[in-house]
Amino acid sequence: MNETELILAIESSCDETSVAVIENGEKILSNIVASQIKSHKRFGGVVPEVASRHHVEQITICIEEALNEANVTAKDLRAVAVTYGPGLVGALLIGLSAAKAFAWANGLPLLPINHMAGHIYAARLVEPLEFPLMALLVSGGHTELVYMKENGSFEIIGETRDDAAGEAYDKVGRVLGLNYPSGKEIDELAHQGSDTYNFPRAMMKEDNFDFSFSGLKSAFINLTHNAEQRGEVLDHNNLAASFQASVIDVLVAKTIRACKTYPVKQLIVAGGVAANQGLREKMSSTIESELPEVKLIVPPLRLCGDNAAMIGAAAHVELQKHHFAGMSLNANPSLAFQHI
């Protein structure tokens, strides 16, 4: 058996088809990502049927590219890892089918991976994880605080009660007439404006670690619609800055409080919204001043969005625990971590 552990990882939970080869759960040998953003842009969001068709077209090409770029063959691999949830059921099934076929054809074990665990383990591609740790997961569909006592142990201590932060960004982007996905553009506009509109900071004072972004979204939409009706022109830079300040203030305040309540050595910020420059800056400066002993890890931009490298990093832990799946493994679109 090889000294080095090589895992082929497949991710197809939403609108990115991605295949990677990961060595020992920490080194990326290849990470191929075929994005579908152009196809979904005209609809202003991801269309599940369109996403599934793209995965069908891309998946085998991505597998070949990942193996070629890593300069390995199926014989060098120890296992095949695949995202089985959460996500769009049709999209997940295509990755699952490809992973099962590849694993079966090459006599390799199959590792079932939780997409959200993947986002957290993207940090392992930056540096080794030290437990216990806290992870703030912020993506299009999820905003949650996850406490990890050890590898493979995930406890949700707080989550959004309505819209996820990423969803709020996309809805606000639509009101501002920005392209989908609009998080990056709002972030850029925000850096050119200032927080003049003072939107609400929901659930900041409540004695829990939960979030709510629905009220903020409504406040934003009401303000812009009322201004339109009065023929008033609002400053888009200031609107973006005010919206972003509200989201970031809440995310940072709740996360810092969680890190002070639980014993933690590291804080990981992960998921698509972790690419937000404003969030990175505020979290970094706040940790530095309030919790200097806690190490902040934010994956590089290319590992914040959906990608298979993070699935391969999470798979390393599952392989060590021998958490294999049979060929009957099915997609679980609403797969979730446990609550404490």
Side-chain angles (χ1 to χ4, degrees), residues 166 169-170 173 178-188 244 276:
Y169 267 91
D170 287 333
L178 304 176
N179 284 321
Y180 170 85
S182 44
K184 189 169 184 282
E185 281 189 67
I186 291 174
D187 191 18
E188 285 165 4
Q244 177 150 300
N276 184 287

Side-chain angles (χ1 to χ4, degrees), residues 57-283:
E57 290 166 12
Q58 297 289 339
I59 195 84
T60 50
I61 300 166
C62 288
I63 291 172
E64 278 176 37
E65 276 189 42
L67 291 169
N68 287 340
E69 195 177 295
N71 199 19
V72 299
T73 66
K75 289 186 184 69
D76 304 312
L77 300 171
R78 189 78 62 86
V80 178
V82 63
T83 302
Y84 75 107
L88 302 171
V89 68
L92 288 164
L93 285 168
I94 288 144
L96 272 169
S97 303
K100 286 179 189 178
F102 191 94
W104 182 80
N106 295 289
L108 291 163
L110 189 65
L111 297 165
I113 307 298
N114 180 324
H115 176 78
M116 303 315 292
H119 274 304
I120 295 174
Y121 275 97
R124 197 168 182 271
L125 300 165
V126 179
E127 62 182 273
L129 303 187
E130 286 181 39
F131 300 98
L133 63 79
M134 189 69 69
L136 170 66
L137 268 176
V138 266
S139 70
H142 295 79
T143 300
E144 49 201 34
L145 279 164
V146 182
Y147 182 59
M148 293 181 68
K149 287 180 186 161
E150 59 184 0
N151 262 324
S153 149
F154 309 93
E155 297 168 4
I156 294 182
I157 62 159
E159 64 186 333
T160 182
R161 298 199 178 167
D162 38 62
D163 287 18
E167 276 176 294
Y169 267 91
D170 287 333
K171 286 170 183 173
V172 160
R174 211 169 292 162
V175 174
L176 290 175
L178 304 176
N179 284 321
Y180 170 85
S182 44
K184 189 169 184 282
E185 281 189 67
I186 291 174
D187 191 18
E188 285 165 4
L189 291 175
H191 277 81
Q192 294 161 43
S194 48
D195 179 9
T196 55
Y197 294 105
N198 294 313
F199 288 119
R201 269 70 167 159
M203 299 179 68
M204 278 276 264
K205 303 280 185 281
E206 288 189 30
D207 191 23
N208 58 43
F209 302 111
D210 285 347
F211 304 94
S212 168
F213 297 107
S214 178
L216 165 63
K217 177 198 69 187
S218 300
F220 186 97
I221 292 169
N222 291 339
L223 177 79
T224 50
H225 283 178
N226 290 342
E228 258 173 50
Q229 284 160 358
R230 291 195 302 270
E232 208 180 298
V233 178
L234 300 176
D235 185 308
H236 275 201
N237 291 351
N238 289 351
L239 273 174
S242 303
F243 166 77
Q244 177 150 300
S246 172
V247 174
I248 290 172
D249 282 356
V250 173
L251 289 175
V252 172
K254 291 260 177 174
T255 304
I256 296 294
R257 190 144 54 83
C259 289
K260 286 178 175 175
T261 308
Y262 289 79
V264 295
K265 292 178 183 173
Q266 291 177 336
L267 167 63
I268 295 169
V269 180
V273 183
N276 184 287
Q277 213 49 49
L279 176 59
R280 285 167 171 253
E281 289 160 8
K282 179 86 185 263
M283 192 69 84

Side-chain angles (χ1 to χ4, degrees), residues 16 41 269 284 324:
E16 254 93 22
K41 217 171 227 178
V269 180
S284 177
F324 301 120

